[in-house]
Amino acid sequence: MQKLGDYKLPQFFNYPPYFTLQPVRDTREKQVQLWKEMIVDYCRTQKIFVIGLEDDFPLFSNPVIQRFLSHEAREVFLSALVSDGRAEWLDKGHRKCLILWHRIQDWAEIVLQFVKDNGLEDSVMTVEEIRSGIESRGTELHGVDRTVLMRALKLLENKGKLAIFKGTSADDEGVKFSV
């Protein structure tokens, strides 16, 4: 089985036709599904949050079989993730895509579980401490994309689970949990 770093690539990755958009509807649906699963799984295991359509993203080519995805195929696969709620375009030109290997409401649940597991109810933390502090090491929150985290925190704030307060800079933003 071929690997990309420590990621085990699925078998279809070595099958040249999967690097070309398939014209038959049923075959294309299967192709799109396989690519969606692989992209989300790869991003989750490698902690990748943003994919650029023009970037040299490792999954977009397979040098072993000398194949690469066309711009159209990349857009089809990422747009399918957007349609499923597993990604969002970050720009109007659809050049950068935010990959949501957990949906925002799932990230919010992960934050709540993190708060409970660490006894942080009624505590104050900075956003940066949540993303890169000692408490978050070894958790999915460690290294989480700031945009994703802020959206999850805002969702929790709207539910009355916490309050976000501004500091003098973005690094100073804090969170008061009230779980």
Side-chain angles (χ1 to χ4, degrees):
M1 175 169 285
Q2 187 178 346
K3 285 182 153 192
L4 190 57
D6 60 350
Y7 180 75
K8 290 184 180 104
L9 292 160
Q11 287 187 319
F12 82 85
F13 194 74
N14 286 319
Y15 189 53
Y18 273 83
F19 281 83
T20 305
L21 284 174
Q22 297 300 300
V24 177
R25 187 175 58 85
D26 288 347
T27 308
R28 182 180 288 204
E29 286 174 6
K30 171 90 170 144
Q31 177 189 31
V32 169
Q33 185 61 38
L34 288 170
W35 274 94
K36 287 188 312 185
E37 290 169 5
M38 180 176 63
I39 290 168
V40 169
D41 190 47
Y42 180 77
C43 288
R44 180 183 52 76
T45 62
Q46 305 302 308
K47 289 206 169 216
I48 295 171
F49 288 90
V50 178
I51 298 176
L53 216 48
E54 308 298 328
D55 291 352
D56 188 19
F57 186 63
L59 296 181
F60 290 164
S61 65
N62 185 342
V64 173
I65 59 170
Q66 299 179 341
R67 291 287 188 269
F68 62 91
L69 289 178
S70 67
H71 185 276
E72 179 188 10
R74 295 172 187 204
E75 192 163 10
V76 165
F77 300 148
L78 293 176
S79 292
L81 284 171
V82 170
S83 295
D84 286 354
R86 300 309 301 234
E88 296 174 1
W89 292 111
L90 292 174
D91 60 333
K92 290 184 182 187
H94 292 191
R95 290 185 308 276
K96 294 252 184 235
C97 197
L98 178 69
I99 305 298
L100 298 169
W101 20 284
H102 289 303
R103 290 179 173 86
I104 297 299
Q105 61 267 26
D106 297 330
W107 279 111
E109 289 300 318
I110 290 167
V111 169
L112 286 179
Q113 193 59 52
F114 166 77
V115 168
K116 290 174 186 167
D117 290 349
N118 289 285
L120 298 170
E121 298 91 339
D122 298 318
S123 294
V124 175
M125 292 183 84
T126 67
V127 172
E128 287 308 307
E129 284 176 313
I130 297 169
R131 293 181 64 229
S132 57
I134 293 168
E135 293 90 349
S136 71
R137 285 190 191 147
T139 72
E140 287 189 276
L141 289 174
H142 197 76
V144 67
D145 181 83
R146 186 176 180 80
T147 303
V148 171
L149 179 58
M150 289 307 296
R151 293 200 31 225
L153 294 173
K154 284 183 185 0
L155 179 66
L156 291 171
E157 184 176 45
N158 291 340
K159 292 181 176 182
K161 304 280 185 188
L162 57 84
I164 300 171
F165 52 92
K166 303 277 185 212
T168 54
S169 70
D171 289 347
D172 288 348
E173 284 181 303
V175 180
K176 166 81 167 94
F177 299 107
S178 53
V179 180

